[in-house]
Amino acid sequence: MKKFNWQPWALLAPSVSAIFFLLVVPVLFVVVYSFWLRAPTGAVIPDFQFGNYARFFEDFFYPSILIRTIRVSLICVFLCLIFGYIPAYFFHRSKSRYRQAMILLIMLPFWISFIIRTMSWVNILGANGFVNHALMKIGLISEPLSLLYNEGAVLMGLIQFLLPFMILNIFVSLEGIDKNLLEAARSMGCNEWQAFKEVTLPLSLPGVSAGCLLVFVLTAGTYLPPMILGGAGNEMIANLIFNRVIGTLDWPFGSAISVILLILLGTIVWTYNRYLGINQLFNAFKGT
């Protein structure tokens, strides 16, 4: 009879316990709350029903915010991909002795509070901010432009937060490409552009897909940039959850919206795993 090996389970026990009590249990509480009722007095009534979910889909106001969240997330992914691939490729090809320092600069914003970084855009894009002041100083405009409290300002705040995730994922993927493949491509007559198109770009797609997934999931769940830079009419699904739970203390409805968001993101991650493999995401993190 094979002896039971308890050592792996003993080593995993602290991590599994932490995941269960800090992640699984809170999510279960949210799921249970989503089926309960909120009385007119504000009290929560333990009554299993689907009224909170029906309420979300009956009024188009709530699905429209979910649609806006998906649209803004997709735009953010596209812009981060465009602005992230170029510096990642530059770091990959750079032979400068300062390359490590430049990569460290990419991670420097993480050392500053996200709230401070988001609030700084108010001073940059505001009516009396740096951009308007500079444009008026050189005579291009006579009155301040309305650069804040719109979707463009929200995207600006999101990109400055999420761009490092995209750059690092693509950079790690590029670093994993066997340089002999590029030499082989050149020896067969490919120029630099053809070698990039036929070898580098296809082999970097795992990092690109991992970066896109991370940026999309983080964008869909963030609420600070829309709250500070978006103003009325530009709120996203996380702001709606925050307002329902903190603003009106409607925990059941806020929980139902959270479950809908969880199902949406879970479906995206499942699709990613089905066709690309979730291990690509972990591979991209190995070098960060």
Side-chain angles (χ1 to χ4, degrees), residues 84-95 99-104 106-107 163-177 179 200 203-208 210-211 283-288:
Y85 200 102
I86 296 171
Y89 186 73
F90 170 76
F91 293 142
H92 166 64
R93 295 299 303 269
S94 175
K95 299 186 185 305
R99 192 179 79 148
Q100 298 300 328
M102 289 188 288
I103 296 171
L104 187 64
I106 295 296
M107 294 185 282
L163 190 57
F165 291 97
M166 183 68 80
I167 294 175
L168 291 175
N169 274 283
I170 297 174
F171 172 73
V172 171
S173 183
L174 290 170
E175 286 290 282
I177 297 175
K179 291 182 172 54
T200 304
L203 293 179
S204 66
L205 289 182
V208 171
N283 289 337
F285 269 113
K286 284 180 180 177
T288 60

Side-chain angles (χ1 to χ4, degrees), residues 9 57 91 107 133 136 218 263 272:
W9 295 102
F57 291 104
F91 293 142
M107 294 185 282
H133 179 76
M136 293 176 70
L218 292 174
I263 293 172
Y272 179 90

Side-chain angles (χ1 to χ4, degrees), residues 111-132:
W111 303 351
I112 304 172
S113 168
F114 183 34
I115 297 176
I116 298 298
R117 282 185 284 151
T118 305
M119 290 296 296
S120 67
W121 284 103
V122 176
N123 295 321
I124 296 173
L125 302 176
N128 298 315
F130 172 78
V131 174
N132 275 314

Side-chain angles (χ1 to χ4, degrees), residues 157-231:
L158 288 169
I159 290 172
Q160 65 88 21
F161 168 52
L162 297 166
L163 190 57
F165 291 97
M166 183 68 80
I167 294 175
L168 291 175
N169 274 283
I170 297 174
F171 172 73
V172 171
S173 183
L174 290 170
E175 286 290 282
I177 297 175
D178 188 349
K179 291 182 172 54
N180 292 326
L181 296 174
L182 290 172
E183 294 298 329
R186 293 192 189 99
S187 67
M188 297 184 71
C190 290
N191 56 32
E192 285 295 326
W193 166 247
Q194 289 171 328
F196 171 79
K197 188 177 67 172
E198 300 295 335
V199 178
T200 304
L201 183 60
L203 293 179
S204 66
L205 289 182
V208 171
S209 60
C212 290
L213 178 67
L214 274 178
V215 170
F216 186 92
V217 170
L218 292 174
T219 302
T222 190
Y223 72 96
L224 266 179
M227 183 175 68
I228 296 175
L229 306 175

